[in-house]
Amino acid sequence: MKVFFLFLSVLTSLLGFIYYYSTFRLISGLSLVGPVVTVILIGIGALVLLVPITYIFSRVSKREKTQTFFAYVSFTNFGFFSILFTLVLFMDLLRVVDLGIVSEYSQLLFTTLLRFGFPIDGITEVKNFSLAFSTIVIATALSSLGFYNAHVRLRYKHTKIKDKNLHSDLKGFKIVQISDVHIGPTIKEKFLRRVVAKINVQTPDVVVITGDLVDGPAATLKHHLKPLADIKSKYGTFYVTGNHEYYSGVLPWLPEIEALGIRVLLNENQIINIGSAKLLMAGVTDLTAGSMIKSHQTNPKRAMLGGENSDYKILLAHQPNSVYEANKIGFDLQISGHTHGGQFFPGNILIYFAQKFVAGLHDYKGTKIYVSRGTGYWGPPFRLGAPSEISVLELQSLD
């Protein structure tokens, strides 16, 4: 719980800066004065505090519909202001670097707004007003698109994993991966049921869930995982923990997940016999797990035990950075999530400064690594520039 409250404190401080910086810059640009400014600033303060309050409320309240409503309000604002903040910084840059184009655009927009009856005839700073007005409109449009993408556009991402030494009996072996579903404040059973239906359409050989399945306590959210019991695959469903399971209290979750017929791999493995081939399905705990539960320290070497002579070795690891150890130990393929591909603008750009392997298929010294952009979302219900996915991976020979 200490980690959770530390996380909320840092998040709230960051949001306070983002919300108020954006607001003050736009108030200045729009030339707002008087009581309306006071009302706006009080409202912004309420929105900042709503995010941590909502997160705490989602973990203790049994009024699910009310909790979901407030979560949508607070996290949608969180996403909107994240986009707005980026655009405000860009707006400030344009105020300095004009090149003539900005001034011409500003005058055209201002004249058009006057023609349509906007009460702005007393505005003297035309460029500042036009930039501020445009920033708000663009942020609203991008947020609306991001909200739509997160709730409507859930697509398959097909990828062929080629290996020159692949056993002939493993050719065409199909793995369907979901990751970072984040069952919690705004993602519930209805979404997961839709995901499971799309999984089953693919008739997978195996299904893997690579962490951050849940984002809250088992006591209040466990019933939302029921659709996972309906997954149909030839060789079963495998799961590894992500960092958010540990924030949520991982120990009560593990038996709930196992009860759904899912094999939980905590630095463990299972060998699957496919014809005359042996496929190793191994899984490690999250990279940060050991800092919260010592016995859950991630251990790829232990996950390999007994499977060293398998024809193909797969490691499920929530964070892509596990690949450095996975490669040393001899895994052929690592399947990961965690990054969300940055989830939405500007995160889909900034993520490349934090992660080497952001999305899709990569090769690290002979070990293939596939990173999912995630199936759900965390926090803001947005997907923009980093679409959610159900990953369909197929093993293929180079021949």
Side-chain angles (χ1 to χ4, degrees), residues 3-20:
V3 174
F4 173 68
F5 282 109
L6 177 62
F7 164 75
L8 278 187
S9 299
V10 173
L11 177 63
T12 304
S13 299
L14 180 62
L15 291 182
F17 172 74
I18 290 173
Y19 282 33
Y20 272 109

PDB file of all heavy atoms in Angstrom, residues 3-20:
ATOM      1  N   VAL A   3       3.572   1.734  -1.621  1.00  0.00           N
ATOM      2  CA  VAL A   3       3.927   1.994  -3.020  1.00  0.00           C
ATOM      3  C   VAL A   3       2.757   2.670  -3.731  1.00  0.00           C
ATOM      4  O   VAL A   3       2.936   3.609  -4.507  1.00  0.00           O
ATOM      5  CB  VAL A   3       4.312   0.690  -3.732  1.00  0.00           C
ATOM      6  CG1 VAL A   3       4.551   0.930  -5.220  1.00  0.00           C
ATOM      7  CG2 VAL A   3       5.555   0.078  -3.106  1.00  0.00           C
ATOM      8  N   PHE A   4       1.551   2.194  -3.442  1.00  0.00           N
ATOM      9  CA  PHE A   4       0.351   2.734  -4.080  1.00  0.00           C
ATOM     10  C   PHE A   4       0.167   4.214  -3.733  1.00  0.00           C
ATOM     11  O   PHE A   4      -0.072   5.050  -4.617  1.00  0.00           O
ATOM     12  CB  PHE A   4      -0.867   1.920  -3.637  1.00  0.00           C
ATOM     13  CG  PHE A   4      -2.189   2.488  -4.095  1.00  0.00           C
ATOM     14  CD1 PHE A   4      -2.533   2.496  -5.434  1.00  0.00           C
ATOM     15  CD2 PHE A   4      -3.078   3.021  -3.179  1.00  0.00           C
ATOM     16  CE1 PHE A   4      -3.748   3.021  -5.856  1.00  0.00           C
ATOM     17  CE2 PHE A   4      -4.293   3.546  -3.585  1.00  0.00           C
ATOM     18  CZ  PHE A   4      -4.623   3.542  -4.936  1.00  0.00           C
ATOM     19  N   PHE A   5       0.310   4.556  -2.438  1.00  0.00           N
ATOM     20  CA  PHE A   5       0.100   5.949  -2.028  1.00  0.00           C
ATOM     21  C   PHE A   5       1.238   6.854  -2.487  1.00  0.00           C
ATOM     22  O   PHE A   5       1.015   8.026  -2.783  1.00  0.00           O
ATOM     23  CB  PHE A   5      -0.092   6.027  -0.511  1.00  0.00           C
ATOM     24  CG  PHE A   5      -1.466   5.622  -0.068  1.00  0.00           C
ATOM     25  CD1 PHE A   5      -1.677   4.427   0.601  1.00  0.00           C
ATOM     26  CD2 PHE A   5      -2.567   6.425  -0.351  1.00  0.00           C
ATOM     27  CE1 PHE A   5      -2.951   4.037   0.981  1.00  0.00           C
ATOM     28  CE2 PHE A   5      -3.848   6.046   0.034  1.00  0.00           C
ATOM     29  CZ  PHE A   5      -4.041   4.849   0.698  1.00  0.00           C
ATOM     30  N   LEU A   6       2.437   6.312  -2.572  1.00  0.00           N
ATOM     31  CA  LEU A   6       3.549   7.080  -3.126  1.00  0.00           C
ATOM     32  C   LEU A   6       3.279   7.392  -4.589  1.00  0.00           C
ATOM     33  O   LEU A   6       3.484   8.521  -5.054  1.00  0.00           O
ATOM     34  CB  LEU A   6       4.856   6.306  -2.979  1.00  0.00           C
ATOM     35  CG  LEU A   6       6.105   6.969  -3.601  1.00  0.00           C
ATOM     36  CD1 LEU A   6       6.387   8.311  -2.922  1.00  0.00           C
ATOM     37  CD2 LEU A   6       7.309   6.038  -3.488  1.00  0.00           C
ATOM     38  N   PHE A   7       2.806   6.384  -5.305  1.00  0.00           N
ATOM     39  CA  PHE A   7       2.454   6.553  -6.720  1.00  0.00           C
ATOM     40  C   PHE A   7       1.379   7.630  -6.882  1.00  0.00           C
ATOM     41  O   PHE A   7       1.492   8.512  -7.742  1.00  0.00           O
ATOM     42  CB  PHE A   7       1.958   5.217  -7.275  1.00  0.00           C
ATOM     43  CG  PHE A   7       1.223   5.325  -8.584  1.00  0.00           C
ATOM     44  CD1 PHE A   7       1.905   5.555  -9.765  1.00  0.00           C
ATOM     45  CD2 PHE A   7      -0.161   5.189  -8.629  1.00  0.00           C
ATOM     46  CE1 PHE A   7       1.230   5.658 -10.972  1.00  0.00           C
ATOM     47  CE2 PHE A   7      -0.842   5.287  -9.821  1.00  0.00           C
ATOM     48  CZ  PHE A   7      -0.141   5.523 -11.002  1.00  0.00           C
ATOM     49  N   LEU A   8       0.343   7.591  -6.045  1.00  0.00           N
ATOM     50  CA  LEU A   8      -0.739   8.581  -6.138  1.00  0.00           C
ATOM     51  C   LEU A   8      -0.243   9.992  -5.812  1.00  0.00           C
ATOM     52  O   LEU A   8      -0.678  10.963  -6.435  1.00  0.00           O
ATOM     53  CB  LEU A   8      -1.876   8.204  -5.185  1.00  0.00           C
ATOM     54  CG  LEU A   8      -2.878   7.167  -5.668  1.00  0.00           C
ATOM     55  CD1 LEU A   8      -4.033   7.057  -4.667  1.00  0.00           C
ATOM     56  CD2 LEU A   8      -3.425   7.480  -7.048  1.00  0.00           C
ATOM     57  N   SER A   9       0.670  10.105  -4.860  1.00  0.00           N
ATOM     58  CA  SER A   9       1.204  11.418  -4.494  1.00  0.00           C
ATOM     59  C   SER A   9       1.986  12.039  -5.642  1.00  0.00           C
ATOM     60  O   SER A   9       1.811  13.221  -5.970  1.00  0.00           O
ATOM     61  CB  SER A   9       2.109  11.284  -3.259  1.00  0.00           C
ATOM     62  OG  SER A   9       1.384  10.801  -2.151  1.00  0.00           O
ATOM     63  N   VAL A  10       2.828  11.224  -6.254  1.00  0.00           N
ATOM     64  CA  VAL A  10       3.616  11.712  -7.388  1.00  0.00           C
ATOM     65  C   VAL A  10       2.699  12.077  -8.549  1.00  0.00           C
ATOM     66  O   VAL A  10       2.853  13.125  -9.198  1.00  0.00           O
ATOM     67  CB  VAL A  10       4.655  10.660  -7.819  1.00  0.00           C
ATOM     68  CG1 VAL A  10       5.358  11.095  -9.109  1.00  0.00           C
ATOM     69  CG2 VAL A  10       5.675  10.433  -6.716  1.00  0.00           C
ATOM     70  N   LEU A  11       1.733  11.209  -8.822  1.00  0.00           N
ATOM     71  CA  LEU A  11       0.797  11.438  -9.920  1.00  0.00           C
ATOM     72  C   LEU A  11       0.010  12.729  -9.710  1.00  0.00           C
ATOM     73  O   LEU A  11      -0.140  13.538 -10.642  1.00  0.00           O
ATOM     74  CB  LEU A  11      -0.165  10.253 -10.053  1.00  0.00           C
ATOM     75  CG  LEU A  11      -1.269  10.375 -11.120  1.00  0.00           C
ATOM     76  CD1 LEU A  11      -0.660  10.483 -12.507  1.00  0.00           C
ATOM     77  CD2 LEU A  11      -2.237   9.207 -11.032  1.00  0.00           C
ATOM     78  N   THR A  12      -0.491  12.948  -8.493  1.00  0.00           N
ATOM     79  CA  THR A  12      -1.293  14.143  -8.202  1.00  0.00           C
ATOM     80  C   THR A  12      -0.462  15.417  -8.360  1.00  0.00           C
ATOM     81  O   THR A  12      -0.944  16.423  -8.899  1.00  0.00           O
ATOM     82  CB  THR A  12      -1.875  14.062  -6.782  1.00  0.00           C
ATOM     83  OG1 THR A  12      -2.636  12.853  -6.642  1.00  0.00           O
ATOM     84  CG2 THR A  12      -2.777  15.254  -6.497  1.00  0.00           C
ATOM     85  N   SER A  13       0.776  15.378  -7.904  1.00  0.00           N
ATOM     86  CA  SER A  13       1.658  16.544  -8.049  1.00  0.00           C
ATOM     87  C   SER A  13       1.903  16.858  -9.517  1.00  0.00           C
ATOM     88  O   SER A  13       1.872  18.026  -9.942  1.00  0.00           O
ATOM     89  CB  SER A  13       2.988  16.287  -7.338  1.00  0.00           C
ATOM     90  OG  SER A  13       2.789  16.060  -5.955  1.00  0.00           O
ATOM     91  N   LEU A  14       2.143  15.808 -10.295  1.00  0.00           N
ATOM     92  CA  LEU A  14       2.382  15.990 -11.729  1.00  0.00           C
ATOM     93  C   LEU A  14       1.148  16.545 -12.417  1.00  0.00           C
ATOM     94  O   LEU A  14       1.232  17.469 -13.238  1.00  0.00           O
ATOM     95  CB  LEU A  14       2.789  14.657 -12.355  1.00  0.00           C
ATOM     96  CG  LEU A  14       3.077  14.660 -13.862  1.00  0.00           C
ATOM     97  CD1 LEU A  14       4.245  15.583 -14.182  1.00  0.00           C
ATOM     98  CD2 LEU A  14       3.365  13.245 -14.362  1.00  0.00           C
ATOM     99  N   LEU A  15      -0.013  16.001 -12.065  1.00  0.00           N
ATOM    100  CA  LEU A  15      -1.266  16.487 -12.665  1.00  0.00           C
ATOM    101  C   LEU A  15      -1.523  17.945 -12.304  1.00  0.00           C
ATOM    102  O   LEU A  15      -2.001  18.720 -13.139  1.00  0.00           O
ATOM    103  CB  LEU A  15      -2.439  15.626 -12.193  1.00  0.00           C
ATOM    104  CG  LEU A  15      -2.502  14.191 -12.710  1.00  0.00           C
ATOM    105  CD1 LEU A  15      -3.748  13.502 -12.187  1.00  0.00           C
ATOM    106  CD2 LEU A  15      -2.470  14.145 -14.221  1.00  0.00           C
ATOM    107  N   GLY A  16      -1.233  18.311 -11.054  1.00  0.00           N
ATOM    108  CA  GLY A  16      -1.431  19.689 -10.639  1.00  0.00           C
ATOM    109  C   GLY A  16      -0.639  20.651 -11.505  1.00  0.00           C
ATOM    110  O   GLY A  16      -1.158  21.687 -11.945  1.00  0.00           O
ATOM    111  N   PHE A  17       0.614  20.291 -11.771  1.00  0.00           N
ATOM    112  CA  PHE A  17       1.442  21.150 -12.627  1.00  0.00           C
ATOM    113  C   PHE A  17       0.885  21.220 -14.045  1.00  0.00           C
ATOM    114  O   PHE A  17       0.737  22.311 -14.625  1.00  0.00           O
ATOM    115  CB  PHE A  17       2.879  20.623 -12.657  1.00  0.00           C
ATOM    116  CG  PHE A  17       3.746  21.336 -13.655  1.00  0.00           C
ATOM    117  CD1 PHE A  17       4.197  22.627 -13.405  1.00  0.00           C
ATOM    118  CD2 PHE A  17       4.091  20.728 -14.862  1.00  0.00           C
ATOM    119  CE1 PHE A  17       4.992  23.293 -14.334  1.00  0.00           C
ATOM    120  CE2 PHE A  17       4.876  21.387 -15.794  1.00  0.00           C
ATOM    121  CZ  PHE A  17       5.329  22.671 -15.536  1.00  0.00           C
ATOM    122  N   ILE A  18       0.547  20.055 -14.615  1.00  0.00           N
ATOM    123  CA  ILE A  18       0.059  19.999 -15.996  1.00  0.00           C
ATOM    124  C   ILE A  18      -1.256  20.766 -16.147  1.00  0.00           C
ATOM    125  O   ILE A  18      -1.421  21.584 -17.066  1.00  0.00           O
ATOM    126  CB  ILE A  18      -0.124  18.533 -16.445  1.00  0.00           C
ATOM    127  CG1 ILE A  18       1.248  17.866 -16.617  1.00  0.00           C
ATOM    128  CG2 ILE A  18      -0.924  18.438 -17.742  1.00  0.00           C
ATOM    129  CD1 ILE A  18       1.170  16.376 -16.882  1.00  0.00           C
ATOM    130  N   TYR A  19      -2.199  20.519 -15.233  1.00  0.00           N
ATOM    131  CA  TYR A  19      -3.511  21.155 -15.330  1.00  0.00           C
ATOM    132  C   TYR A  19      -3.397  22.682 -15.200  1.00  0.00           C
ATOM    133  O   TYR A  19      -3.988  23.441 -15.981  1.00  0.00           O
ATOM    134  CB  TYR A  19      -4.440  20.624 -14.235  1.00  0.00           C
ATOM    135  CG  TYR A  19      -5.043  19.263 -14.498  1.00  0.00           C
ATOM    136  CD1 TYR A  19      -4.344  18.281 -15.196  1.00  0.00           C
ATOM    137  CD2 TYR A  19      -6.304  18.937 -14.021  1.00  0.00           C
ATOM    138  CE1 TYR A  19      -4.890  17.023 -15.405  1.00  0.00           C
ATOM    139  CE2 TYR A  19      -6.863  17.684 -14.213  1.00  0.00           C
ATOM    140  CZ  TYR A  19      -6.151  16.735 -14.907  1.00  0.00           C
ATOM    141  OH  TYR A  19      -6.701  15.483 -15.115  1.00  0.00           O
ATOM    142  N   TYR A  20      -2.647  23.128 -14.184  1.00  0.00           N
ATOM    143  CA  TYR A  20      -2.614  24.561 -13.908  1.00  0.00           C
ATOM    144  C   TYR A  20      -1.742  25.322 -14.904  1.00  0.00           C
ATOM    145  O   TYR A  20      -2.075  26.458 -15.278  1.00  0.00           O
ATOM    146  CB  TYR A  20      -2.149  24.815 -12.471  1.00  0.00           C
ATOM    147  CG  TYR A  20      -3.306  24.803 -11.504  1.00  0.00           C
ATOM    148  CD1 TYR A  20      -3.477  23.758 -10.599  1.00  0.00           C
ATOM    149  CD2 TYR A  20      -4.247  25.824 -11.509  1.00  0.00           C
ATOM    150  CE1 TYR A  20      -4.546  23.735  -9.720  1.00  0.00           C
ATOM    151  CE2 TYR A  20      -5.326  25.819 -10.632  1.00  0.00           C
ATOM    152  CZ  TYR A  20      -5.468  24.762  -9.749  1.00  0.00           C
ATOM    153  OH  TYR A  20      -6.543  24.750  -8.891  1.00  0.00           O
TER     154      TYR A  20
END
